[in-house]
Structures are given as structure tokens and as C-alpha cells.
Amino acid sequence: MAVSAWHVLCFLVLCLRQDTLGQLNLTQMDEVLAAPTRDLPRLSLWLRKSKQHQDEANPYVQWFLHRSNLSLEVQTYEEHEDWLEDPFGRDNHALVVSLDLILSNQGAAGPTEKAAMFFYILEDQTRDLTLDEQAMLEDSCRQLWMLHKIYNRFVLARDSIWIYDPFQHRDASFGQLIRYDGEEPLNKLLFHDMQGYPLRIQMFRSVYTRPEMDPDTGLLVRVTGVDFLVAQMLQERLNFTMLLQQPDKNYFGERSANGSYNGAIGSIVNDGLDICLTGFFVKDYLVQQYMDFTVAVYDDELCIYVPKASRIPQSILPIFAVGYDIWLGFVLSAFGCAMIWLILRIINLKLRIRDRSNRHLLRQALAIVVDTWVVWVRVNLSHLPASYAERMFIGSLCLVSVIFGAIFESSLATVYIHPLYYKDINTMQELDESGLKVVYKYTSMADDLFFSETSPLFASLNKKLSWNRNLYADVIDDVARNGGKAGVSRYTSLTLESSHFMLLRKIWVVPECPKYYTISYVMPRDSPWEDAINALLLRLLNSGLIVKWIQDAKARVDIKMGLTFMGGDSDADLLRVLTIGDLQLAFYVVIGGNLLAFLGFFVEHFWQRLLKKDILSRKFI
């Protein structure tokens, strides 16, 4: 009886000790599993259908059921079921599985979804993993990483939680199975230091990317530009090795008739690169299941450029020196002042301040108009009227004529320094009316440039779009030199790459730009380093570094253009010396004035003689 009591006492002590150890294990689970489960919106807990009661007793299952604050959904599955499709999707899951199933990467341990987080609870909780089992588990995880870039999986053993760090070194290769201590989520823990892991990065020619090729071999030598500065900063902060890929000859890429893609998009779809650090328009490329955008890095407008309007000939340039409103005001003011002068003359005649018998009123009116224009063009009068009121009025006319003369003189000087052109195309309506076809090189620029359903105007412009399939053709140069067409380009590309055409007045950018885009880099969907790169890009944006690099690039272009024009390399007439040819209109005015003077002389003399003869003949009759 005493022996039985002793055995009962020992059994109770053992049970109490096990409860104490179990409570301690749950506390450790709270510390270790809190970080990876903190931001999960929901979790599916999968138990084996044939061993459901056994799985419910698992400490990790108990923790998920009772200690976690997750929105939990409990489901069952057949352990050896051969799933033809992935039933898990992008949700997060915790599964009770055997170690052999994990090592085989099949069945419940076979999902290849990179976005989901998986907690694999080992069914055997009587012992921890041996060294051989750790080595086999590491090889299994390495295989998943090499094939699918899967890393966010936790293996929950009895005494520890294991994760795969793809950046830890194992001898001469990357990847190592390590214990997880619950300090941070994996998307932060593993990417503080990638320890020189090689990333395949592609950068092709674009606005802020300048790859330089070897002329003999055609291979990439180096890359410059804002995008490369961003790449260097990412490499330095994340500590990876940048493996620059040969720039794709198809640049951004486009969809072929069979549904495949080429260019950078094709490389991403075919797992040919890890990130493309050349800016893409943030839009739908019909490859959402393969490609993701980073955070927006900068923005730009998609604009239309056309040939610059022809220059106004030198022979009529002074006519366009001032606006039509000034010309109209100048002419109307002259006749208005002549009318006021005539009213003053009539009042003087009524008040007998001026002799009535001097001349007929019609002749006096004609003389007033002539004298007004003489004063209006700043020429001295040969005589002044007797009335002081008229003399004071003439003085005011002289002052006004000085003001108008100064406007004309300054405008004349300006048009010879800054040549004038005919009216350019400033709106989409004017572009449509011009009949110019709009040429583009990249399909991404034109697929949503003019939505036909938006308006009849855009429907008409959409019919004028023309695709130049030669990606190496310089459409801007063709438009500038040959004209006859319009082109589509990013506004920044025009200001940085083709600013000399704009300064030389060869092309004109239509101010009404039809599209505005934010621009991002691209990478394969659910890339492991996506969160780390986005976080670092946001820090670069918030610090103003990317904006500064862009402004520096624009400043260098401005300095280069300034030095080019100052060095005399320009073929434009921006800096020129005035010649006798610039005075063509003055000679035309002199010739026209002489003809008018001869006509006036003929009217005054010969016509007056004819009138006298006619009067004499009537008297004799």
C-alpha cells in the first residue's frame, strides 16, 4: 500500500513538472512567434484528417488555437493526398506535417507560392532535429529557393524553430538553415545584409540610364545616369553583388502574336533577371501574375512634339514685331486723335477764333488727318495752327507718339535678337487639324495614349498614330530635320536628350500633354527583396537624393548646351550680326512711299488742271 502511494506521489510530481515545462514552452512560443505573426491578417490551420485528435494535442497547435491573436480558420486534409493544383493560394497557413513530407517538397509541403507564409509543425515532438535531418532540411529549402525563391517558411520542431537564410554562406555556396529567435519578421531580418548575394540587374538605355557598350565586342562596359546611382545606393545599403545583364535589344518589351513577351518584360516572365532598374510607366502590361512595380520613383509626362513653325521672313519681320492689338491701337488712335482735332477746329470756327474764309472745311479736315499722322510718326510740323487749344493738343500727340515709338523701337530690336516664328501647334485640336501623323517607337507609349471612346478628337488622333518598328531609329532627329510628322516622347527625354533641337528651334513640344505617368522600377512578382528595396527607395525619396540627382542631370545638360553655343558649334542664328538684308522692309517702305507720293502729286496737279479745264469749258458753253 505504501509503495502504491509512493508511485502515485511520483506520478503527480511528474505531471506537475510536465505542466510547468509546457507552460514555459508556451511562453517561449509567445516570444518567438509574435514577430512573424504580428502583421498577418488571418491564418489557416490545417490538421491531418486521419490524425486530427493527435494533432490537436501538439503544443504549437495549442498555441495557434489559444495563445495567438490571429483570425484563425481550422481545416483538415489528407496527408498523402496528391494535389494537382495549389489549394493554398496567397493566404498564410500553419500545417501539421511529417518531416519526410517536408524533405520531399511534395503534397502539403509542395506549394510554390512566394507571397504566402507557411508554418510547418512537425508531427514528431518527442525529439529535436538531428544533424543529418538538419542537413537534409537545408538541402530541401535550398532547392525551393533556387527554383522558386521561396524563403518565408518556418519549421517548428520540439525545441527550436528553423528557417532558411539564403544569404548565409555555407562553405563556397549561399544558403544555410538557422535557428529563428523571433527578433524580426523574415522580410526585415534576412535583408539587413545580403552578404554579397548576386542579383541579376538589367539597365537599358532610357531617360536616366546610359549604358556604354564596347564598339568592338558590343558588350556592356559601364552604366551611368540617375538610375545607376540608385542601383549603387541599393547595392551599398543591402550589400548584394550587382550582376549587370546585357541590355535587351527590345528595351521595355512588347507582346508578340503568340502571346510571349520580349525585352525586359520577357526577361522577368522567363525568370531572366531579379530587378530592372530602368523606369517603367506604372500601367497595365497584362503580366500582373509575373511582374510587380516598386514604389513610384519619379514621374513624367508623355508629350507630342512637332516640327517648329517656319521663321517669319526678314522682309516682313518688323510688321510682326508688335502684336496685332498694338497695331490696331496705333491706327485707331491716330484717326481718333484726328477726329478730336477736327472737333476742336469746328468749335474754333463757330466761335470765330479762326477765320472761316481760309479754306473749305473738307480741305481743312483732310489737312488735319495728314498733320495728325505726321505728328503720330514723330515728324515735325511745318506750321502750327493759330488756336492755342489746338497747339496744346498737338503737344499731347507728340508725347503719345514718343511712347508708341519707343514700343516699336524696342520691339524691332527684340525681333532681330530673338527671331519670330509663325504660330505653333499648341493644342490637341490644332494637332488634329494639322493632319500630321504621330509616330511612336514603343507600344507602351501608344496603347492608351488616345482613348477613342473618350472623345471624337482622341478618336481622330488615334487613327493618326503610326508605329515605327525600328527601335534604333531616331524619330526626333527625323522630325527635326525632315518635318512632315509628329512624334511621341517623354518630356524629360526631350529636355535631356534633345534639348539642342529645342534650342535650335527645330522641334516644338505641344504644351497640352495628353498623358501623365508615375514611373517605377520592376521586378518579378513577390520577389523576396521587394520589401527591402521599396523601404530603401522610400528613404532615398524622403531624403531628396533622387530629386537631387535628377536636378544635377538637368543642370549638366544646361551647362553643356550653354558651352556648345558659346563655343560657336551651333548652326542656328541665335548669335548673329545685323546686315543690310535685315533692312529689307525699310527699302520696301521707301519704295511704297515714293509710289504713293507720285500718286499724290498726280492727283494734286494733273487732276486739278483737268478740273479747271472742265470748269472753263462749261462757262463758254
Side-chain angles (χ1 to χ4, degrees), residues 260-307:
S260 62
Y261 284 83
N262 55 23
I265 297 178
S267 298
I268 290 177
V269 171
N270 299 320
D271 192 25
L273 58 89
D274 296 315
I275 181 171
C276 179
L277 289 176
T278 299
F280 274 65
F281 293 151
V282 178
K283 56 186 290 186
D284 186 8
Y285 293 94
L286 304 179
V287 288
Q288 299 94 328
Q289 68 272 31
Y290 300 106
M291 188 175 76
D292 270 345
F293 293 100
T294 65
V295 296
V297 184
Y298 38 83
D299 49 33
D300 205 348
E301 292 177 298
L302 201 59
C303 294
I304 310 295
Y305 58 91
V306 296

Side-chain angles (χ1 to χ4, degrees), residues 509-523:
V509 180
V510 180
E512 186 180 337
C513 294
K515 280 291 180 180
Y516 179 88
Y517 286 105
T518 54
I519 296 175
S520 302
Y521 304 128
V522 294
M523 62 180 71

Side-chain angles (χ1 to χ4, degrees), residues 156-225:
L156 283 58
R158 189 193 68 173
D159 296 332
S160 57
I161 298 176
W162 299 89
I163 61 172
Y164 180 72
D165 187 346
F167 311 124
Q168 289 283 347
H169 290 273
R170 173 72 71 182
D171 298 329
S173 61
F174 285 92
Q176 186 176 351
L177 191 71
I178 62 173
R179 294 177 184 268
Y180 179 66
D181 297 327
E183 297 176 357
E184 291 181 294
L186 294 189
N187 58 356
K188 293 183 180 179
L189 175 66
L190 301 181
F191 295 94
H192 288 309
D193 183 3
M194 296 175 65
Q195 303 189 41
Y197 186 85
L199 287 186
R200 300 164 299 172
I201 295 178
Q202 186 177 121
M203 305 178 73
F204 52 86
R205 181 178 178 82
S206 187
V207 177
Y208 296 121
T209 311
R210 290 290 182 274
E212 298 180 11
M213 316 299 290
D214 189 313
D216 298 326
T217 63
L219 298 178
L220 180 66
V221 176
R222 66 168 186 160
V223 183
T224 58

